[in-house]
Every structure is written in C-alpha cells, then in structure tokens.
Amino acid sequence: MAKRTKRVFNDTDKKEFLNDLKKFREACINVCIKAPINSDAYKLANNFVEQIIIAGENLTGNDKHFFNNR
C-alpha cells in the first residue's frame, strides 16, 4: 500500500492564493462593469465575487480583506 504524504498549506501558499483570488476578483468586477445587468455573464461574475469575499474572510478572518488591500 502506498504511503500517504502529509499535505502542507503554509502562509506563503495562503498569500499566493489570496493574491490569485484578488486578480480573479478584479477580472470578475470588470465583467460586471461591462456585461448587461442580469445577463448570465453578470450573474456568474457577481457570484464569483461574492464567493471570493467569503474565501478571503475564511482565510484571513477579515471580511474586508479584499477591500483593505488594494
């Protein structure tokens, strides 16, 4: 039987992930700015933005993480 490896998600990984989420959030906001309100693209991008905010809060404990770190 194969030996299990220990997975590690350290502070550097978290910082990189949050940075990637920030970039994706900005891309989604650009879609929301350009897409017609209530279009499929607008709704999808808006839902992503909401989930990214939740992810930022879960990872940092700060619900304003993406608003304070521009």
Side-chain angles (χ1 to χ4, degrees), residues 19-29 48-49 52:
N19 190 45
D20 291 342
L21 287 175
K22 179 182 177 182
K23 291 176 188 175
F24 186 53
R25 178 180 172 269
E26 291 168 356
C28 290
I29 289 171
F48 277 131
V49 170
I52 290 168

Side-chain angles (χ1 to χ4, degrees), residues 42-52:
Y42 179 92
K43 290 176 185 177
L44 182 61
N46 191 56
N47 285 336
F48 277 131
V49 170
E50 291 174 4
Q51 292 304 312
I52 290 168

Side-chain angles (χ1 to χ4, degrees), residues 49-62:
V49 170
E50 291 174 4
Q51 292 304 312
I52 290 168
I53 292 168
I54 291 168
E57 180 179 6
N58 288 335
L59 291 168
T60 66
N62 179 2

Side-chain angles (χ1 to χ4, degrees), residues 4-69:
R4 287 186 149 177
T5 60
K6 184 177 179 184
R7 293 183 175 201
V8 177
F9 188 75
N10 60 32
D11 287 340
T12 302
D13 296 323
K14 182 167 64 169
K15 185 177 180 179
E16 289 175 6
F17 184 48
L18 287 166
N19 190 45
D20 291 342
L21 287 175
K22 179 182 177 182
K23 291 176 188 175
F24 186 53
R25 178 180 172 269
E26 291 168 356
C28 290
I29 289 171
N30 285 332
V31 170
C32 289
I33 289 169
K34 295 177 181 180
I37 294 175
N38 288 326
S39 67
D40 289 340
Y42 179 92
K43 290 176 185 177
L44 182 61
N46 191 56
N47 285 336
F48 277 131
V49 170
E50 291 174 4
Q51 292 304 312
I52 290 168
I53 292 168
I54 291 168
E57 180 179 6
N58 288 335
L59 291 168
T60 66
N62 179 2
D63 64 341
K64 305 287 188 235
H65 173 77
F66 290 108
F67 303 100
N68 296 335
N69 295 304

